[in-house]
């Protein structure tokens, strides 16, 4: 089956720790995106990548980092510099002007 | 610059009655427009899309939307609500930016509540 997967589904982090969220797609899409969703709010763009080995900051990139070494993979690291990381994180991929395909999300909780 | 406004944060309907979720957009060029649905703690699923073909777009689960350029609107409708339609709905606009990339812009979402 073609699709986009995220892991883990739930993640707990202690304050001061870095954690990495996985996002993998087998849709052969060039573009990939990371969004943060807080309760009652829409999606806010963290980072996006239009092609391998290239990525750009979105609206709320501070405290986050990404890499795009392979077309299929776009991991997101939430660093200790992110002061309020508890949220639902969504990864998406897209081909050209077509629709985005979303993963099932990762819920990150800081203990 | 592109933007999208979902005019209602919450819409409440009774099962079997029509649904109307409103969306207005702003775009410099010919945009693509999308509606997505999100059930609690899930990813987003595409309901329908407009990409410069027919202005009345039919989607999944009986939903449809009409692109009205003169009104810069893309409202989502369904003739008869079902309990399973209760979810969060997002309107999205996407246009080609300088450099050739497409960066979607999301509305803040509309929560659809369906009463039995």
């Amino acid at each position: 089956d073609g699709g986009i997967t995220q892991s883990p589904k739930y993640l707990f982090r202690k304050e001061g720790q870095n954690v990495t969220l996985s996002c993998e797609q087998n849709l052969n899409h060039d573009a990939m995106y990371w969004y943060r969703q807080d309760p009652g709010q829409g999606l806010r763009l963290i980072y996006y990548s239009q092609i391998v080995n290239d990525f750009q900051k979105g609206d709320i990139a501070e405290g986050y980092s990404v890499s795009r070494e392979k077309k299929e993979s776009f991991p997101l690291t939430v660093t200790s510099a992110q002061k309020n990381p508890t949220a639902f994180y969504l990864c998406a991929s897209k081909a050209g002007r077509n629709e985005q395909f979303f993963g099932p999300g990762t819920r990150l909780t800081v203990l | 610059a592109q933007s999208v406004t979902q005019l209602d944060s919450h819409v409440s309907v009774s099962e079997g009655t029509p649904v109307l979720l409103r969306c207005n957009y702003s775009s410099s060029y010919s945009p693509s427009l999308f509606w997505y649905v999100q059930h609690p703690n899930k990813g987003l699923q595409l309901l329908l899309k407009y990409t410069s073909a027919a202005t009345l777009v039919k989607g999944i689960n009986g939903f449809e939307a009409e692109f009205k350029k003169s009104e810069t609107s893309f409202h989502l409708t369904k003739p008869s609500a079902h309990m399973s339609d209760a979810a969060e709905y997002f309107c999205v606009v996407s246009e080609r930016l300088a450099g050739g990339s497409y960066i979607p812009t999301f509305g803040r979402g509309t929560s659809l509540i369906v009463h039995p």
Side-chain angles (χ1 to χ4, degrees), chain A residues 8-26:
Chain A
K9 186 172 183 177
Y10 299 97
L11 186 58
F12 299 90
R13 188 194 95 170
K14 295 182 179 179
E15 287 194 20
Q17 282 183 335
N18 292 355
V19 290
T20 297
L21 284 59
S22 170
C23 178
E24 304 277 334
Q25 54 101 358
N26 61 4

Side-chain angles (χ1 to χ4, degrees), chain A residues 23-96:
Chain A
C23 178
E24 304 277 334
Q25 54 101 358
N26 61 4
L27 300 167
N28 201 33
H29 289 168
D30 285 317
M32 296 187 74
Y33 308 79
W34 273 106
Y35 294 93
R36 171 181 172 138
Q37 187 175 29
D38 294 284
Q41 298 194 27
L43 277 65
R44 291 186 288 170
L45 182 63
I46 305 173
Y47 269 98
Y48 65 98
S49 168
Q50 299 290 334
I51 198 168
V52 175
N53 293 321
D54 188 44
F55 49 84
Q56 284 77 42
K57 294 181 179 180
D59 300 319
I60 56 165
E62 185 175 351
Y64 300 97
S65 66
V66 293
S67 63
R68 186 83 187 278
E69 297 176 1
K70 299 187 299 182
K71 188 175 188 178
E72 301 79 18
S73 179
F74 191 42
L76 173 74
T77 296
V78 184
T79 75
S80 56
Q82 170 49 239
K83 297 306 178 187
N84 186 23
T86 294
F88 190 53
Y89 290 86
L90 286 161
C91 179
S93 68
K94 189 161 91 74

Side-chain angles (χ1 to χ4, degrees), chain A residues 9-10 31 33 35 37 40-43 45 48 50 88 90 94 96-105 107, chain B residues 30-32 34 36 38 41-46 49 51-52 88 90 92 94 101-104 106-109:
Chain A
K9 186 172 183 177
Y10 299 97
Y33 308 79
Y35 294 93
Q37 187 175 29
Q41 298 194 27
L43 277 65
L45 182 63
Y48 65 98
Q50 299 290 334
F88 190 53
L90 286 161
K94 189 161 91 74
R97 67 178 301 185
N98 296 320
E99 67 272 21
Q100 287 173 303
F101 287 78
F102 284 84
R107 184 164 298 282
Chain B
S30 297
S32 296
F34 308 88
Y36 290 88
Q38 184 184 32
N41 298 310
K42 302 290 187 184
L44 277 68
Q45 179 186 15
L46 180 72
K49 63 181 178 181
T51 54
S52 75
E88 192 81 13
F90 292 96
V92 180
S94 180
S101 61
Y102 290 88
I103 306 300
F106 283 75
R108 292 179 65 86

